[in-house]
mmCIF file of all heavy atoms in Angstrom:
data_model
loop_
_atom_site.group_PDB
_atom_site.id
_atom_site.type_symbol
_atom_site.label_atom_id
_atom_site.label_comp_id
_atom_site.label_asym_id
_atom_site.label_seq_id
_atom_site.Cartn_x
_atom_site.Cartn_y
_atom_site.Cartn_z
ATOM 1 N N GLN A 77 -15.517 -4.565 22.182
ATOM 2 C CA GLN A 77 -16.769 -5.355 22.106
ATOM 3 C C GLN A 77 -17.463 -5.040 20.824
ATOM 4 O O GLN A 77 -17.460 -3.921 20.481
ATOM 5 C CB GLN A 77 -17.695 -4.951 23.288
ATOM 6 C CG GLN A 77 -17.415 -5.867 24.566
ATOM 7 C CD GLN A 77 -18.424 -5.344 25.516
ATOM 8 O OE1 GLN A 77 -18.269 -4.218 26.105
ATOM 9 N NE2 GLN A 77 -19.354 -6.218 25.948
ATOM 10 N N ARG A 80 -23.548 -2.501 18.057
ATOM 11 C CA ARG A 80 -24.673 -2.482 17.154
ATOM 12 C C ARG A 80 -25.310 -1.118 17.201
ATOM 13 O O ARG A 80 -25.541 -0.504 18.287
ATOM 14 C CB ARG A 80 -25.716 -3.498 17.510
ATOM 15 C CG ARG A 80 -26.905 -3.547 16.699
ATOM 16 C CD ARG A 80 -27.816 -4.633 16.919
ATOM 17 N NE ARG A 80 -28.202 -4.876 18.260
ATOM 18 C CZ ARG A 80 -28.725 -5.964 18.775
ATOM 19 N NH1 ARG A 80 -29.024 -6.969 17.845
ATOM 20 N NH2 ARG A 80 -29.019 -6.113 20.042
ATOM 21 N N PRO A 122 -4.090 -1.425 6.919
ATOM 22 C CA PRO A 122 -3.520 -2.227 8.010
ATOM 23 C C PRO A 122 -3.567 -3.750 7.883
ATOM 24 O O PRO A 122 -2.869 -4.526 8.505
ATOM 25 C CB PRO A 122 -4.324 -1.789 9.234
ATOM 26 C CG PRO A 122 -4.831 -0.409 8.892
ATOM 27 C CD PRO A 122 -5.042 -0.480 7.369
ATOM 28 N N ASP A 219 10.850 15.400 -7.909
ATOM 29 C CA ASP A 219 9.526 15.564 -7.091
ATOM 30 C C ASP A 219 9.019 16.985 -7.192
ATOM 31 O O ASP A 219 9.861 17.845 -7.209
ATOM 32 C CB ASP A 219 9.987 15.258 -5.522
ATOM 33 C CG ASP A 219 8.701 14.931 -4.794
ATOM 34 O OD1 ASP A 219 7.894 15.804 -4.536
ATOM 35 O OD2 ASP A 219 8.558 13.706 -4.321
ATOM 36 N N GLY A 255 23.117 5.518 -28.147
ATOM 37 C CA GLY A 255 23.655 4.147 -28.116
ATOM 38 C C GLY A 255 23.850 3.638 -26.680
ATOM 39 O O GLY A 255 24.849 2.988 -26.296
ATOM 40 N N GLN A 354 5.304 -16.416 -1.792
ATOM 41 C CA GLN A 354 5.519 -16.190 -3.195
ATOM 42 C C GLN A 354 5.376 -17.600 -3.911
ATOM 43 O O GLN A 354 5.975 -18.490 -3.404
ATOM 44 C CB GLN A 354 6.916 -15.614 -3.463
ATOM 45 C CG GLN A 354 6.873 -14.554 -4.496
ATOM 46 C CD GLN A 354 8.216 -13.853 -4.674
ATOM 47 O OE1 GLN A 354 9.188 -14.463 -4.864
ATOM 48 N NE2 GLN A 354 8.158 -12.555 -4.591
ATOM 49 N N SER A 434 -18.491 -3.181 9.704
ATOM 50 C CA SER A 434 -17.072 -2.865 9.679
ATOM 51 C C SER A 434 -16.229 -3.607 10.743
ATOM 52 O O SER A 434 -16.643 -3.822 11.877
ATOM 53 C CB SER A 434 -16.967 -1.389 10.048
ATOM 54 O OG SER A 434 -17.471 -0.473 9.081
ATOM 55 N N ILE A 480 2.733 -9.534 22.914
ATOM 56 C CA ILE A 480 3.251 -8.855 24.121
ATOM 57 C C ILE A 480 2.494 -9.328 25.351
ATOM 58 O O ILE A 480 2.945 -9.637 26.395
ATOM 59 C CB ILE A 480 3.349 -7.398 23.843
ATOM 60 C CG1 ILE A 480 4.427 -7.099 22.887
ATOM 61 C CG2 ILE A 480 3.760 -6.758 25.236
ATOM 62 C CD1 ILE A 480 4.376 -5.648 22.386
ATOM 63 N N PRO A 484 -7.400 -10.311 25.940
ATOM 64 C CA PRO A 484 -8.507 -10.635 26.896
ATOM 65 C C PRO A 484 -9.461 -11.747 26.533
ATOM 66 O O PRO A 484 -9.602 -11.909 25.360
ATOM 67 C CB PRO A 484 -9.218 -9.271 27.171
ATOM 68 C CG PRO A 484 -8.713 -8.409 26.167
ATOM 69 C CD PRO A 484 -7.461 -9.060 25.371
ATOM 70 N N GLU A 529 7.027 -32.652 -3.105
ATOM 71 C CA GLU A 529 6.676 -33.858 -3.872
ATOM 72 C C GLU A 529 7.174 -35.077 -3.166
ATOM 73 O O GLU A 529 8.254 -35.111 -2.627
ATOM 74 C CB GLU A 529 7.256 -33.827 -5.313
ATOM 75 C CG GLU A 529 6.811 -34.933 -6.180
ATOM 76 C CD GLU A 529 7.515 -34.817 -7.630
ATOM 77 O OE1 GLU A 529 8.182 -33.850 -7.876
ATOM 78 O OE2 GLU A 529 7.151 -35.723 -8.428
ATOM 79 N N ARG A 562 11.121 -28.681 4.000
ATOM 80 C CA ARG A 562 10.309 -29.488 3.156
ATOM 81 C C ARG A 562 9.751 -30.651 3.885
ATOM 82 O O ARG A 562 9.514 -31.754 3.324
ATOM 83 C CB ARG A 562 11.053 -29.968 1.876
ATOM 84 C CG ARG A 562 11.936 -28.987 1.205
ATOM 85 C CD ARG A 562 11.159 -28.079 0.261
ATOM 86 N NE ARG A 562 11.665 -26.815 0.022
ATOM 87 C CZ ARG A 562 12.347 -26.501 -1.072
ATOM 88 N NH1 ARG A 562 12.457 -27.410 -2.060
ATOM 89 N NH2 ARG A 562 12.910 -25.376 -1.266
#
Side-chain angles (χ1 to χ4, degrees):
Q77 274 179 288
R80 176 170 54 193
D219 199 295
Q354 221 175 51
S434 291
I480 295 171
E529 188 180 357
R562 313 279 159 103

